[in-house]
Amino acid sequence: MSRQSISLTRPNDEWLKEQVESEEYASKSEVINDLIRRARETEQIRKKLIAAEESGPADQTPDQIRAGIKARLKNAAEI
């Protein structure tokens, strides 16, 4: 794991301390890593949504889409 040195504004530092003091996290590093992880997940979701929008309209009806989703969920539950 790499070590980094960062500068924080007073309000951000206080917020980090509060997170650790509330025992939600064990350290400031844990908080920062969680924030970065969430930001990366959000970025991945955003990219998928943009790709979906750019792909154009679906060639299936809403009923066909629902039926496909139900079939996939049923198959996943059987595994």
Side-chain angles (χ1 to χ4, degrees), residues 1 3 8 11 13 15 19 21 23-24 26 28-29 31 40 43 47-49 51-53 61 64 71 74:
M1 197 175 304
R3 295 182 59 88
L8 302 169
D13 188 46
W15 184 82
Q19 301 308 302
E21 289 170 1
E23 298 182 0
E24 183 74 23
K28 288 181 181 181
S29 292
V31 180
R40 290 173 61 202
E43 182 180 340
K47 286 179 181 179
K48 288 179 182 181
L49 288 172
E53 287 177 350
T61 67
Q64 291 170 323
K74 182 180 178 185

Side-chain angles (χ1 to χ4, degrees), residues 12-76:
N12 287 343
D13 188 46
E14 290 300 321
W15 184 82
L16 283 172
K17 287 178 186 176
E18 289 171 11
Q19 301 308 302
V20 175
E21 289 170 1
S22 73
E23 298 182 0
E24 183 74 23
Y25 298 93
S27 68
K28 288 181 181 181
S29 292
E30 248 186 55
V31 180
I32 298 296
N33 276 311
D34 190 41
L35 290 171
I36 292 170
R37 192 176 305 110
R38 290 180 190 198
R40 290 173 61 202
E41 289 171 358
T42 300
E43 182 180 340
Q44 289 172 355
I45 292 169
R46 184 177 300 120
K47 286 179 181 179
K48 288 179 182 181
L49 288 172
I50 290 169
E53 287 177 350
E54 291 174 348
S55 71
D59 56 355
Q60 296 177 318
T61 67
D63 288 336
Q64 291 170 323
I65 294 170
R66 274 191 289 278
I69 291 170
K70 286 179 182 179
R72 284 195 301 272
L73 289 173
K74 182 180 178 185
N75 289 339

